[in-house]
Amino acid sequence: MRAYHAAFTYVSMKNLIISIVILWVFFQISSLIWSSKGQSPSATFTRLLEPPPHRLTNPYENGYYYLLGFAADASVDPAKVGYEMWLETTAAPGAREFNYDKPGRSELQIQLPMEQILPSWNSENPLSEFRNIQAQLQTVAGRDHTLLARYERWLTMPFEDMGFGHQGTPRFLEIFVAHRLYIAGGFSRQTALGMQRLKKDIGTWRCVLRDATTIATKVMAQILITDDLRLLSTLLSKPAVNKTVLAMTPNIAPPLTTAESSLRWPLQHQFTLGAHGDHTSELITEEQTESLNTHKQWLASTARLPEQAFRQIAHPHGHSFLGIPLQTRETWEMYATYYDAMIHVAEAGQSRLPKLHELAGATGRGIVENLVSPNPFEPDWDPFHYQLREIDTRLRLASLQVVLRRPSAETTVPNRLAQVGSSYYDPFSGLPMLWSPTQQKIYSVGKDRYDDGGDAGFDISVPAIVALTPAPRESQASAPSSRTNRR
């Protein structure tokens, strides 16, 4: 009997202790959450949640809404369709994808692999190819005609990115197709017209790059600018280049400005989505998530970003302990410090973004919070940061292609690349661009900062025709034959 009472007492005490521990943890977490709710947010936290200022009052004149409705039926105004789609998401910002399934919203949508979109664009002699299909380019009909007309209209419109704080990702494929038709159509008629259109196209997308408040819009601008620069570099690599091309290129491709290369608003946008995510995540359906992934996967593939690039910056939502959200105010204060540091580092032009674990020690996370959530999510913005440096590199290389075609008394290409000035140095190394006499290429070492002799798999390179006066071959410096660390 005594053994029975002892066993009963032991079990009762054990259950009592377990209950006390559970209640203690519950109240600790609850007090953590309620105490953080009662605290005033920091100035950094508040600033990161502030939306960008708006300057356009008429939504039907904003190129952003026009872009949202770009693939709408030919009988409707794309801006009105886009604005209607955007308004549908304002009821729950950050929780809904733009709805393209309603009748008339995607009647002109295109489903084509990239290699089938005007293949002559990537040919060895695109100007010749464009002229060979001149009749086809000048008599586009049906869907292509509507998309081209809309693109020409869109290029004249002011643009203000209204995607800040919204989860929705616009369709961009139709814009991409129309952009190629627009440029190729100009070159098919006259080289000067093609260059004028190319200049306008790059300039317009650089304005979008500068004003983008979401990473999706910024990536699309980079895709279009890169597509234009690849075409331009191909034109500049031919032995005989039209004088118009040479004359207009320096004004087309100056290096990126600080505003164009900034990630400030895309970072704030992603922070805002994450900070508000726990309140809206239950509204996101599986179908909407799949749609969102489809649009962003196209962007990632076309921009040659890692397949999961967009997912790796999206804060996971819905995590809880006993029904209590784990991402408390302290967690988001930590993220606010982190995002603010990334913004400052990126705008300072530094090559490496800080990591969350490097800054986590400077922010307060309680014992209980660390216990229930020991490994906070760390967004990976490196691919987007490197991509901005890559587009800056391509702009500089295009300008250098023109510089090297001009006669010079300097007898070595490396010296000419050094003397052109630091504004045209390699953004990845901070040193002059490199020259491969065997491949006749100028190149950047790329994000790994190793000299691979201009290998396109590692370095960012373009062919270059060099005019030297005088130009003794034996005086040309050769590129390093080994893989040299440029760190």
Side-chain angles (χ1 to χ4, degrees), residues 111-132:
Q111 302 290 345
L112 280 178
M114 287 295 297
E115 59 271 12
Q116 295 183 21
I117 300 175
L118 201 64
S120 53
W121 187 276
N122 295 314
S123 65
E124 292 185 2
N125 194 340
L127 287 190
S128 177
E129 294 292 333
F130 293 157
R131 290 179 182 131
N132 288 339

Side-chain angles (χ1 to χ4, degrees), residues 258 261 263 341-354 358 382 385-386 388-389 427-429 449:
T258 300
S261 59
L263 282 171
M342 283 199 290
I343 290 171
H344 284 90
V345 166
E347 292 190 340
Q350 297 182 29
S351 60
R352 180 181 174 275
L353 294 177
E358 297 170 348
D382 285 342
H385 182 56
Y386 289 139
L388 282 166
R389 285 178 170 263
F428 289 98
S429 68
R449 291 186 288 177

Side-chain angles (χ1 to χ4, degrees), residues 273-307:
L273 289 181
H276 294 321
D278 285 331
H279 306 291
T280 58
S281 60
E282 69 276 6
L283 301 176
I284 304 177
T285 67
E286 183 177 345
E287 181 180 351
Q288 289 169 340
T289 301
E290 181 63 28
S291 175
L292 174 65
N293 289 340
T294 299
H295 297 321
K296 288 190 174 178
Q297 282 173 359
W298 183 88
L299 282 176
S301 174
T302 307
R304 300 181 181 180
L305 289 166
E307 183 180 356

Side-chain angles (χ1 to χ4, degrees), residues 70-71 108-110 147 171-179:
F70 198 78
L108 303 182
Q109 68 176 322
I110 294 173
L147 292 178
R171 285 183 57 88
F172 285 119
L173 180 57
E174 291 75 30
I175 282 273
F176 185 84
V177 171
H179 128 86

Side-chain angles (χ1 to χ4, degrees), residues 48-76:
L48 289 177
L49 292 180
E50 291 178 357
H54 298 310
R55 65 183 189 279
L56 299 181
T57 57
N58 185 353
Y60 303 139
E61 293 300 320
N62 186 348
Y64 175 79
Y65 297 120
Y66 198 89
L67 183 151
L68 283 186
F70 198 78
D73 188 81
S75 63
V76 299

Side-chain angles (χ1 to χ4, degrees), residues 129-148:
E129 294 292 333
F130 293 157
R131 290 179 182 131
N132 288 339
I133 58 173
Q134 179 179 8
Q136 176 183 340
L137 289 171
Q138 293 184 19
T139 58
V140 290
R143 177 182 61 189
D144 288 348
H145 174 76
T146 302
L147 292 178
L148 179 57

